[in-house]
Amino acid sequence: MSTRQRNAPAYRPQVGDLVLDRRTGRTGIYMGTIGGEHYLRPEHGGREWTAEPHQVSPAPEPRDSADCDQPR
């Protein structure tokens, strides 16, 4: 791990941000933090789950569907 990574500020999502739980590989909406755990909810509704703050990062940008339709 580089010095830059160790000294980088922790990612702090805002309520409503789409985030990635790197432990499970799931994306969800950040709902808040209680007791040191982030609460995430599936994008299209469903049961919340908790994630450790160090395992949460911004969700990757979705691929533009137009990019998928382009011939190579």
Side-chain angles (χ1 to χ4, degrees):
M1 179 181 294
S2 74
T3 303
R4 177 181 265 267
Q5 289 171 329
R6 277 184 275 156
N7 294 333
Y11 171 63
R12 295 185 182 194
Q14 299 294 310
V15 172
D17 284 354
L18 182 62
V19 298
L20 172 66
D21 178 354
R22 293 188 315 269
R23 180 180 55 90
T24 63
R26 296 170 65 189
T27 58
I29 305 297
Y30 173 72
M31 303 303 291
T33 301
I34 299 173
E37 293 184 310
H38 287 347
Y39 281 75
L40 310 177
R41 177 164 292 184
E43 293 177 70
H44 303 289
R47 179 173 280 191
E48 283 185 349
W49 76 95
T50 59
E52 296 291 325
H54 67 276
Q55 291 291 337
V56 173
S57 62
E61 293 293 321
R63 289 183 59 189
D64 185 5
S65 60
D67 292 342
C68 297
D69 297 334
Q70 297 297 323
R72 294 184 183 217

